[in-house]
Amino acid sequence: MKARIHITGASAISPQPSFDREALDGIAAYDAHPLHVIMPDIAGYVDPIRVRRMTRSNRMGLLAALNALKRAGIDSPGAIIAATGDGCKESVERFLDNLIDSDEAIESPTAFIGSTHNSLAGLIALALKSNAYNYTYLQRGLSFPSALLDGLMQVGEEGVRHALVGAADVITADFFRTHRASGLWKERPVRNLDVLQSADPGAIAGEGAAFFVLDSEPTAGSVELLGADACFSIGDHDLGAHASSLLDPAGMATGSVDLVFLGLNGDQEEDRAYESARALFPEATLACFKPLCGEYYTANAFGLWMAWSALRTGSVPPEVVLRGRSTGGFRTALVHDHFQLKDHALMLLGR
Amino acid sequence: MNHPIHISGMGIISALGHDAASNADALLEERTGISAITRLRTRHRELYPAAEVKLGHMELGALAAPASLRGWTRTALLGLKAAKEAVADAGIDPRWPRTGLVSASTAGGMDRAENLYRQYFLDEVPDEAAQYVGTHDPGDHTERIAAELGITGFITTISTACSSSANAIMLGARLIRSGRLDAVIVGGSDALSRFTVHGFHSLMILDREPCRPFDAARAGLNLGEAAAYVVLESEAHLSARKGRSLARIAGFANTNDAFHVTASSPNGDGAYLAMQQALRSAGLSPGDISYVNVHGTGTHNNDGSEGRAVMRLFGDALPPFSSTKTFTGHTLGASGAVEAVFSTMALQHGACFANLRFQHAMPEAALTPVIRTLRGQPLRHVLSNSFGFGGNNTSLIMSVT
């Protein structure tokens, strides 16, 4: 017996005014990248002394997790599932610098402990004193959809009442410099809201954390999670077939989808992979989210938050609408994101 | 669990050997893989022994044989070698639809990054370094193995410290049980790196002698490197293609100790819950378990905590147990899969492997492990524990088909 799955709490920390809200409180424009999150005040969530020692990644992840739980009115989820592309990079970099500079002569236990990729999920368990299932996924653009799929199995099929699922990734100076060499970023400054028109190759770098509470029971205003998939693809990706694999089991057709969030990032070659969405969903509003948060491995968690917000409030910020209306309510939203044309994430929400 | 989940193939490369057969031989003949460090260029090489795979980059590259060696880290090469063996052993084609890959790693491609890191920042990155830019994250090896074997669809990486690949196996079993996949290659890979040796040196939990898990005089762990994978298949898929089952994954559970960032709770609460819940998921009671492959790292903290948890669960009826880390060292993200492969071998050979070098029981939990490898044992259910930093505890149960 499969249960329906409802998102009863969500929280995002991003370069936008998103924290502890169900819709953005305005749109922040930036003239250069990387984009950094607007870090909320931690008062009332965690002991400030403990937070001071946390990396930015763990701090934003823990805050988003605790805020999502608070908004859902839950204090003890039956599963804690985190995703990150490379979340402990701050500690890894500190440990590596020390290792290289001292040629392994100086010990740095704290940075080594922090370089364990599941440190955020472990911190959440410690904060909640939770013995529950505790997982961490790292698969670049598939990290968050893997975690979401896990939560979907837990709540939908394995009898868990609540699952906390989310993601966190930061941008650091070292990561930004390293990935200049792999051509991930735009070299010249570009205004974030204009990035999709930029002819330069690469994306703008960003960061963020977003957490969701999945519940087998609905609450007032909750949004239903209808499906999620993580698909590694070699060569062309068939969005139609992939979307059907989510829509068919939900008893829906492409015509049921009235809002599509696409992971367009301003790299013209990569963005071509989203072209088929226009014809596949001719009646739907098309919107983007990466001009708001930048590109990072788990940016699609912010994309899901945007879709959740749109279904909850009935509107999408006009600045991110590519085609169609921005108000008037939406019933079914699909998020399609890919990372470097290989990692395809699909997430389907309804209300 | 109503639908059996079968292990239809396995592959492993460790300090004991480059394939499953040589690993089984070493276990049965009590030959450890722990020795002086000869390959890894670490400052600490004189100080600590380790369980190295004694192959350089080109030799390992030739053995794993990717289409091009460009950008392949040691973790990815070890993983490819073991995954290929598992796939061939099972007789599946990884390009089949509804076939996935779930891998695990803690250090990922750090063996390259730690030596090339500063070169990544240069305006003109030399090719030796350029090919490794962006290969140190744990997702890299999984993506490379998937691309090499032609796996599309669901692939992912789990990184939960030293329970990582046990969790990869557990996720794979759940994906099969849910009907999302017919077959899935699950396991993990971790190469030795200066990063991990220096890290564990910083934590002061490395033994300068070959490790002695569960011994009163234990003084820490030895690091190792390995990759291990098993192929999991649904009953329907396996019988339709007339494949053979080596064993079943009968039970699994993951819990959190929620005690400390790195240390285990004194009474092993998370470990106890993981074992108890794994038994429940298999519909078994403690008396059904015929051998326990313990986590048994050799650190003061782990063995005391795990020992107490085991005593709480089994009481006076503790089945034979041992830590095979006395052979392979602690292979971190690969260890859960390494020990799932060893647990399957235990069922195949009717053997409980030795906990090498054991002399005196610990005062805090007076337990005596298997001292010499036992043969001719009628094993039915093997429990395997994998615990990690972040309070992460996983128990798997492998059963005869």
Side-chain angles (χ1 to χ4, degrees), chain A residues 16-19 21-28 38 305 309 317:
Chain A
Q16 302 296 325
S18 55
F19 184 67
R21 300 179 181 280
E22 60 178 34
L24 296 180
D25 182 26
I27 299 283
I38 302 168
W305 186 87
S309 169

Side-chain angles (χ1 to χ4, degrees), chain A residues 272-293:
Chain A
R272 272 204 289 279
Y274 296 108
E275 275 303 309
S276 58
R278 290 186 178 274
L280 207 56
F281 304 99
E283 305 297 323
T285 287
L286 298 185
C288 59
F289 58 92
K290 284 182 181 165
L292 302 181
C293 67

Side-chain angles (χ1 to χ4, degrees), chain B residues 291-378:
Chain B
Y291 166 56
V292 185
N293 189 300
V294 290
H295 186 56
T297 58
T299 64
H300 191 81
N301 179 243
N302 177 79
D303 297 359
S305 172
E306 186 177 14
R308 284 204 196 86
V310 162
M311 287 172 89
R312 279 164 73 194
L313 185 74
F314 290 99
D316 294 333
L318 181 61
F321 76 97
S322 63
S323 169
T324 47
K325 291 187 178 69
T326 55
F327 290 83
T328 59
H330 191 350
T331 58
L332 306 178
S335 65
V338 165
E339 289 161 33
V341 164
F342 290 174
S343 297
T344 305
M345 289 173 176
L347 291 168
Q348 287 180 316
H349 294 274
C352 301
F353 305 120
N355 189 104
L356 301 173
R357 300 178 289 278
F358 178 85
Q359 288 188 312
H360 304 291
M362 311 180 288
E364 63 270 46
L367 302 167
T368 302
V370 176
I371 291 172
R372 300 299 308 266
T373 290
L374 303 170
R375 308 285 291 263
Q377 304 291 305

Side-chain angles (χ1 to χ4, degrees), chain A residues 94-334:
Chain A
R94 199 149 62 86
F95 188 81
L96 261 184
D97 279 339
N98 185 307
L99 182 149
I100 294 166
D101 291 339
S102 79
D103 189 25
E104 302 177 53
I106 297 172
E107 283 131 42
S108 55
T110 309
F112 183 65
I113 291 164
S115 72
T116 315
H117 293 284
N118 62 330
S119 60
L120 172 59
L123 281 175
I124 296 171
L126 274 177
L128 303 177
K129 297 184 173 45
S130 169
N131 292 124
Y133 178 91
N134 192 289
Y135 258 44
T136 300
Y137 291 91
L138 294 90
Q139 191 61 50
R140 300 182 174 169
L142 301 180
S143 308
F144 178 67
S146 297
L148 197 62
L149 185 66
D150 186 342
L152 198 141
M153 288 198 291
Q154 294 273 354
V155 176
E157 298 156 31
E158 298 175 13
V160 169
R161 172 68 203 271
H162 304 107
L164 175 69
V165 183
D169 268 305
V170 288
I171 183 75
T172 62
D174 277 8
F175 188 79
F176 188 71
R177 286 200 293 177
T178 302
H179 282 279
R180 278 184 67 185
S182 56
L184 220 50
W185 316 130
K186 290 191 185 296
E187 286 285 344
R188 292 187 297 181
V190 54
R191 189 167 174 269
N192 64 322
L193 301 178
D194 300 331
V195 68
L196 299 192
Q197 284 77 48
S198 160
D200 292 348
I204 55 171
E207 62 178 15
F211 269 85
F212 303 85
V213 175
L214 310 187
D215 191 328
S216 55
E217 299 294 329
T219 56
S222 62
V223 166
E224 195 171 343
L225 175 63
L226 298 167
D229 194 41
C231 180
F232 178 64
S233 152
I234 302 167
D236 287 342
H237 169 255
D238 182 347
L239 178 61
H242 197 193
S244 293
S245 73
L246 257 58
L247 291 166
D248 293 351
M252 292 180 162
T254 50
S256 325
V257 177
D258 53 9
L259 175 61
V260 180
F261 269 98
L262 299 170
L264 294 153
N265 68 9
D267 181 298
Q268 302 305 328
E269 193 182 322
E270 291 191 2
D271 284 353
R272 272 204 289 279
Y274 296 108
E275 275 303 309
S276 58
R278 290 186 178 274
L280 207 56
F281 304 99
E283 305 297 323
T285 287
L286 298 185
C288 59
F289 58 92
K290 284 182 181 165
L292 302 181
C293 67
E295 180 67 281
Y296 54 101
Y297 290 126
T298 54
N300 46 46
F302 180 70
L304 186 70
W305 186 87
M306 288 292 293
W308 166 84
S309 169
L311 291 195
R312 229 183 121 90
T313 64
S315 59
V316 179
E319 292 89 340
V320 298
V321 173
L322 304 164
R323 185 190 77 186
R325 61 194 169 85
S326 69
T327 56
F330 299 97
R331 295 198 61 78
T332 308
L334 182 74

Side-chain angles (χ1 to χ4, degrees), chain A residues 1 10 30 54 288 290:
Chain A
M1 184 63 194
Y30 298 89
M54 280 179 200
C288 59
K290 284 182 181 165

Side-chain angles (χ1 to χ4, degrees), chain B residues 120-199:
Chain B
Y120 297 164
F121 303 156
L122 302 173
D123 282 335
E124 289 294 324
V125 184
D127 186 63
E128 183 213 8
Q131 62 180 307
Y132 289 106
V133 168
T135 62
H136 87 270
D137 62 306
D140 177 74
H141 81 286
T142 310
E143 189 176 305
R144 282 176 184 275
I145 294 168
E148 195 70 25
L149 298 182
I151 300 168
T152 54
F154 188 79
I155 72 163
T156 200
T157 302
I158 293 168
S159 192
T160 54
C162 305
S163 56
S164 299
S165 55
N167 285 334
I169 293 173
M170 176 168 161
L171 178 71
R174 291 169 57 220
L175 287 163
I176 298 282
R177 187 178 63 181
S178 79
R180 282 184 171 75
L181 296 176
D182 295 329
V184 59
I185 300 149
V186 292
S189 179
D190 252 329
L192 268 177
S193 62
R194 294 162 65 205
F195 191 98
T196 40
V197 172
H198 186 56

